[in-house]
């Protein structure tokens, strides 16, 4: 399967760029693609999550963010939406304080920048998913899909499915969650290195990955799923678990018991 993916990367009619240039191109195109949303206004859920949310005001104690939901209601209240995203609300509060009020330009610009950073990280993510996780003798990760990974990241960057998350200010919850989700995944990949000297395991990077996963969860609830992704990636890619062989053994064992 890996050899097939490498041949596929070789057959792609896409010019080869150095890694840093590929990331610059992806980041720039992703920024330009959604740059026209900078002058948008507060719409739809923005009014409740931002304008009418007292947690953004300076007079509201900062500790209240940890006891309120995404819309500023107490979590213990029966009318609470139970959406617990304190770190996302904290970024809204910082936007409000630095801008000196509800000026949507600053909110939109941060969303566009976050989307660009995510797209740059996707170059590394796709290089792992398409080319595998291998390291040089010096411990540097090898990009075995130098053409396919930037191309896939570009398609991700300009896809219209991201319009709501980037152009809608409340979509920052998805952007922040995705950012720390990807950082958690990349951190987990960094914890395992295989070279001529054998396998190297870093407890530090595993703990960093778990911490980043917790931050993603505090930006949006779905961030917790990165822990499951890391576990599946560990089993299938790092530990090279053969699912078909495992299923065959289980079925054969059941037949023997019968």
């Amino acid at each position: 399967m890996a050899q097939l993916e490498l041949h596929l990367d070789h057959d792609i009619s896409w010019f080869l760029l150095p890694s840093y240039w590929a990331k610059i191109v992806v980041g720039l195109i992703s920024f330009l693609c959604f740059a026209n949303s900078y002058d948008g206004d507060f719409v739809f859920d923005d009014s409740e999550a931002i304008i009418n949310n007292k947690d953004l005001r300076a007079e509201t104690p900062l500790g209240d963010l940890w006891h309120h939901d995404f819309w500023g209601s107490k979590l213990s209240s029966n009318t609470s939406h139970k959406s617990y995203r304190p770190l996302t609300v904290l970024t809204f509060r910082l936007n409000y304080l630095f801008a000196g009020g509800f000026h949507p330009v600053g909110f939109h610009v941060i969303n566009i920048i976050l989307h660009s950073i995510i797209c740059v990280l996707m170059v590394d993510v796709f290089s792992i998913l398409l080319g595998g996780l291998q390291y040089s003798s010096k411990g540097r990760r090898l990009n075995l899909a130098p053409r396919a990974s930037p191309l896939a990241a570009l398609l991700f960057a300009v896809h219209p499915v991201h319009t709501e998350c980037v152009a809608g200010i409340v979509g920052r919850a998805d952007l922040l969650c995705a950012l720390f989700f990807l950082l958690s995944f990349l951190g987990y990949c960094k914890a395992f290195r295989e070279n001529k000297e054998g396998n190297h395991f870093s407890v530090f990077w595993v703990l960093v990955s778990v911490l980043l996963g917790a931050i993603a969860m505090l930006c949006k609830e779905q961030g917790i799923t990165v822990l499951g992704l890391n576990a599946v990636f560990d089993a299938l890619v790092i530990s090279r678990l053969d699912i078909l062989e495992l299923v065959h053994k289980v079925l054969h064992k059941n037949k023997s018991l019968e």
Side-chain angles (χ1 to χ4, degrees):
M1 182 65 182
Q3 292 181 352
L4 177 62
E5 290 169 344
L6 293 179
H7 287 307
L8 178 63
D9 182 84
H10 179 73
D11 294 337
I12 292 177
S13 57
W14 171 264
F15 52 89
L16 186 62
L17 288 174
S19 178
Y20 60 92
W21 274 112
K23 293 179 179 179
I24 291 175
V25 170
V26 170
L28 182 61
I29 291 179
S30 63
F31 185 88
L32 294 176
C33 184
F34 291 94
N36 61 344
S37 66
Y38 82 95
D39 59 348
D41 205 345
F42 295 108
V43 295
F44 302 117
D45 291 339
D46 296 341
S47 59
E48 294 298 325
I50 299 175
I51 298 177
N52 297 330
N53 193 344
K54 295 181 179 180
D55 287 338
L56 272 64
R57 312 297 174 90
E59 59 270 16
T60 302
L62 194 61
D64 285 2
L65 270 65
W66 302 98
H67 303 286
H68 294 171
D69 62 14
F70 187 56
W71 313 97
S73 301
K74 290 185 178 181
L75 288 169
S76 57
S77 174
N78 294 330
T79 59
S80 172
H81 190 268
K82 308 301 181 184
S83 299
Y84 191 62
R85 306 166 190 176
L87 295 185
T88 301
V89 178
L90 178 61
T91 65
F92 290 152
R93 181 171 175 139
L94 292 175
N95 261 131
Y96 174 81
L97 293 177
F98 286 124
F102 292 111
H103 303 291
V105 174
F107 289 85
H108 283 292
V109 169
I110 295 298
N111 277 24
I112 298 170
I113 293 175
L114 286 173
H115 174 66
S116 300
I117 296 173
I118 291 168
C119 293
V120 171
L121 292 177
M122 288 303 296
V123 178
D124 288 331
V125 172
F126 279 122
S127 71
I128 295 173
L129 297 180
L130 299 176
L133 187 60
Q134 295 187 29
Y135 290 87
S136 65
S137 57
K138 297 181 179 180
R140 185 174 182 179
R141 186 177 60 79
L142 301 175
N143 185 357
L144 301 181
R147 288 186 175 90
S149 54
L151 181 59
L154 275 177
L155 293 175
F156 176 89
V158 302
H159 201 287
V161 75
H162 305 305
T163 302
E164 183 178 358
C165 295
V166 182
I169 298 177
V170 293
R172 185 178 300 180
D174 299 280
L175 294 172
L176 289 172
C177 178
L179 174 63
F180 290 104
F181 187 103
L182 297 178
L183 289 174
S184 175
F185 174 73
L186 293 173
Y188 194 80
C189 293
K190 199 174 182 65
F192 299 91
R193 297 182 183 179
E194 183 179 351
N195 48 38
K196 294 181 181 180
E197 299 176 356
N199 296 327
H200 173 72
F201 172 78
S202 173
V203 177
F204 170 77
W205 280 108
V206 172
L207 295 177
V208 169
S209 175
V210 173
L211 176 61
L212 291 170
I215 295 175
M217 181 184 63
L218 292 175
C219 294
K220 192 172 183 179
E221 301 81 3
Q222 288 86 338
I224 191 68
T225 58
V226 70
L227 301 180
L229 172 66
N230 290 342
V232 172
F233 185 82
D234 190 339
L236 299 182
V237 179
I238 299 175
S239 300
R240 297 181 176 89
L241 178 65
D242 191 334
I243 298 296
L244 294 178
E245 182 181 356
L246 179 63
V247 172
H248 182 268
K249 288 182 177 180
V250 171
L251 294 176
H252 183 72
K253 181 179 180 180
N254 290 338
K255 290 180 180 179
S256 300
L257 292 174
E258 290 177 0

